[in-house]
Amino acid sequence: MTIGTQLSPSHRDLAARLASRGDELRALLQRSARMDDDAQAEVTDFKDAAAEETQAVIDEAATSHAVLELEQVDSALRRLREGTYGLCLDCGEPIDERRLAALPATPLCTDCQVLREHLGSPRR
Ligand SMILES: [Zn+2]
């Protein structure tokens, strides 16, 4: 995959990190899809059914987290190609470079992220 050469060096670096993170997540999801297929056959490998169930819950949480993260990574890569990467999806302001370095796939600036966590939390 080629991403525009107009990217700044720091964005090129983030693009490379996002691309390899995307590959990682896709591999992880493929593995977990295969594990679901094999789950019946491998039950005898687990001594403790409760522990197995706990593991399944953890796997499920990790998988749904990976799906969400992959969506963020893919849309960040799309924004890199479109030249809108680094701008907050909610307010359109540039996202702090340090935040991007720590969370290359984030679609939101710190302010909007905090706002969303306070307002629209689906957990409540
Ligand atoms: Zn914002």
Side-chain angles (χ1 to χ4, degrees), residues 88-93 108-109 111-112:
C88 174
L89 282 192
D90 273 9
C91 69
E93 293 294 320
L108 298 174
C109 71
D111 289 349
C112 293

Side-chain angles (χ1 to χ4, degrees), residues 6-26:
Q6 76 279 11
L7 293 177
S8 68
S10 68
H11 280 189
R12 259 202 297 270
D13 179 48
L14 293 177
R17 280 170 57 193
L18 282 165
S20 70
R21 183 65 184 150
D23 289 345
E24 244 173 66
L25 288 167
R26 261 183 281 273

